[in-house]
Amino acid sequence: MNKKTLSIAAAILAIAGSTAAFAAELPTYEANGFPVSPLQVRVLGAAHVEQQAAAPTTVASVHQTKVLSPRKLKTADVTTGAAR
């Protein structure tokens, strides 16, 4: 029973996560500086309605920045000796 509950909870979290990511991609609108939904735009009319600029939703962490940035080559000080 416990395994079944955990798998159901994992499925719910996966669905909720994908729904939130999808909702973040939908366009948002504003009328006279106030946010409005697409339904409100249809009911009230599209006069003075503009699409809001999309803000970046993802910010890279310090670790992600270090992993994704180009590597710095380390040069070792090598002394050459006489070949035999």
Side-chain angles (χ1 to χ4, degrees), residues 32-78:
N32 298 327
F34 294 105
V36 293
S37 69
L39 178 63
Q40 290 171 325
V41 172
R42 284 187 292 236
V43 171
L44 300 174
H48 308 290
V49 174
E50 297 176 3
Q51 186 173 356
Q52 291 179 340
T57 57
T58 57
V59 177
S61 69
V62 175
H63 178 71
Q64 289 171 333
T65 305
K66 287 182 180 180
V67 168
L68 296 174
S69 64
R71 293 183 182 175
K72 296 178 183 176
L73 296 176
K74 295 181 181 179
T75 57
D77 294 332
V78 178

